[in-house]
Amino acid sequence: MATSYQTPDALLVKNYIAGDENALALLINRHQSKIYNFIYSKIADRDIADDIFQDTFIKVIKTLKSNSYNEEGKFLPWVMRIAHNLVIDYFRRNNKMSMVRDNDEFSVFAYIKDDSDNVESKLIQNIIESDLQKLVSDLPNDQREVLVMRIYQDMSFNEIAEATGVSINTALGRMRYALLNLRKTIEKNKINLSV
Amino acid sequence: MAKLYSRKLVIKTKMLPKKETINFILNYSKALKVITIGNMKLETIVN
């Protein structure tokens, strides 16, 4: 398995098209986290995220097996684009806007690492989490989308641009405006993110 | 008290799809055959 991480995606795709089913397993194993987290960040429901993840790969499989794949060297961005389109289809079908809310299963801030057991530190962390969450949720959709992908999903701007269907400069611009807007709101409302 | 802006907030989520989902995809892949007849592409699921 160790060598599988050295095999480029393009070669695995080629092997899969040639009939090597194991190549698909390697590709899924390699990229499942990024793809699934991208879907879940939009849907905030594990079962639906699993369905969309499954539909994404059904499309991938059909495209590859019918020799219609022409994105050589860009496997992950291509899959992310399929996932993005399926997420849009889901919201169109359900006639509602994407909104990430905290629930029992997931909070975007639940993964912030706090090394200290200090009670004061925990209190500070909770306040900052809560304030930041409100600030981020107030951002315009396009800016929040880029910020969440970049900061919380650790995606590169190249990947964000591919996933959202905009140029890399637009993605960079949205990130910049997201940060500027956050700073502006913090200053305007004199929000104190320290104790 | 010092501000905490410098604290690294990058989050690596570790959520993964269910094993059943992955197994379904892999089994579907093994079962699916695409047959090209002229301009037509026919999909068949082989049991």
Side-chain angles (χ1 to χ4, degrees), chain A residues 17-86:
Chain A
I17 291 170
D20 178 7
E21 292 289 336
N22 194 42
L24 179 69
L26 293 173
L27 284 166
I28 292 174
N29 189 48
R30 186 179 292 177
H31 299 301
Q32 60 177 338
S33 176
K34 274 190 175 176
I35 297 163
Y36 188 78
N37 280 290
F38 167 73
I39 296 167
Y40 189 80
S41 72
K42 306 286 177 200
I43 302 292
D45 181 300
R46 285 210 75 144
D47 291 332
I48 297 168
D50 268 279
D51 285 348
I52 293 178
F53 183 88
Q54 184 176 297
D55 289 347
T56 301
F57 273 93
I58 284 175
K59 274 188 184 266
V60 167
I61 289 164
K62 282 183 179 177
T63 306
L64 294 179
K65 290 216 169 189
S66 61
N67 284 321
S68 306
Y69 179 70
N70 54 7
E71 309 248 353
E72 214 164 313
K74 295 179 181 172
F75 178 75
L76 180 60
W78 173 61
V79 179
M80 294 290 264
R81 211 159 55 239
I82 293 172
H84 184 249
N85 290 338
L86 287 173

Side-chain angles (χ1 to χ4, degrees), chain A residues 95-109:
Chain A
N95 197 24
K96 60 182 180 183
M97 295 296 290
S98 169
M99 189 180 287
V100 177
R101 285 187 188 279
D102 278 7
N103 56 35
D104 292 340
E105 279 187 322
F106 178 77
S107 164
V108 287
F109 293 99

Side-chain angles (χ1 to χ4, degrees), chain A:
Chain A
M1 286 296 274
T3 54
S4 67
Y5 287 96
Q6 294 159 7
T7 313
D9 286 354
L11 184 57
L12 288 174
V13 168
K14 197 177 163 190
N15 291 345
Y16 175 67
I17 291 170
D20 178 7
E21 292 289 336
N22 194 42
L24 179 69
L26 293 173
L27 284 166
I28 292 174
N29 189 48
R30 186 179 292 177
H31 299 301
Q32 60 177 338
S33 176
K34 274 190 175 176
I35 297 163
Y36 188 78
N37 280 290
F38 167 73
I39 296 167
Y40 189 80
S41 72
K42 306 286 177 200
I43 302 292
D45 181 300
R46 285 210 75 144
D47 291 332
I48 297 168
D50 268 279
D51 285 348
I52 293 178
F53 183 88
Q54 184 176 297
D55 289 347
T56 301
F57 273 93
I58 284 175
K59 274 188 184 266
V60 167
I61 289 164
K62 282 183 179 177
T63 306
L64 294 179
K65 290 216 169 189
S66 61
N67 284 321
S68 306
Y69 179 70
N70 54 7
E71 309 248 353
E72 214 164 313
K74 295 179 181 172
F75 178 75
L76 180 60
W78 173 61
V79 179
M80 294 290 264
R81 211 159 55 239
I82 293 172
H84 184 249
N85 290 338
L86 287 173
V87 167
I88 290 172
D89 288 348
Y90 166 77
F91 283 115
R92 278 191 188 138
R93 268 201 314 275
N94 291 274
N95 197 24
K96 60 182 180 183
M97 295 296 290
S98 169
M99 189 180 287
V100 177
R101 285 187 188 279
D102 278 7
N103 56 35
D104 292 340
E105 279 187 322
F106 178 77
S107 164
V108 287
F109 293 99
Y111 300 92
I112 293 176
K113 196 177 176 185
D114 187 354
D115 292 324
S116 170
D117 292 324
N118 184 292
V119 174
E120 185 187 1
S121 184
K122 278 184 183 172
L123 185 63
I124 292 168
Q125 192 67 27
N126 287 341
I127 292 166
I128 290 173
E129 282 177 22
S130 167
D131 287 349
L132 268 176
Q133 195 171 13
K134 287 174 196 161
L135 292 169
V136 170
S137 67
D138 262 343
L139 287 171
N141 285 343
D142 53 352
Q143 293 172 23
R144 185 176 63 240
E145 182 178 54
V146 173
L147 185 137
V148 169
M149 285 184 194
R150 180 72 193 111
I151 304 294
Y152 298 109
Q153 295 179 281
D154 206 19
M155 289 167 69
S156 70
F157 280 107
N158 211 8
E159 289 165 346
I160 293 169
E162 290 281 352
T164 55
V166 299
S167 70
I168 192 163
N169 281 336
T170 305
L172 283 163
R174 286 177 180 175
M175 183 69 187
R176 181 170 174 271
Y177 280 112
L179 295 175
L180 284 174
N181 280 334
L182 282 178
R183 286 197 188 114
K184 206 187 292 177
T185 312
I186 288 165
E187 283 166 15
K188 187 179 166 189
N189 296 294
K190 295 179 180 165
I191 298 166
N192 191 359
L193 291 179
S194 65
V195 177

Side-chain angles (χ1 to χ4, degrees), chain B residues 5 12-13 16 18 20 22 25-26 29 38-39 43 46:
Chain B
Y5 291 122
K12 290 254 186 188
T13 51
L16 294 172
K18 291 174 196 155
E20 293 89 334
I22 302 291
I25 292 167
L26 295 177
S29 170
N39 291 328
E43 292 169 6
V46 182

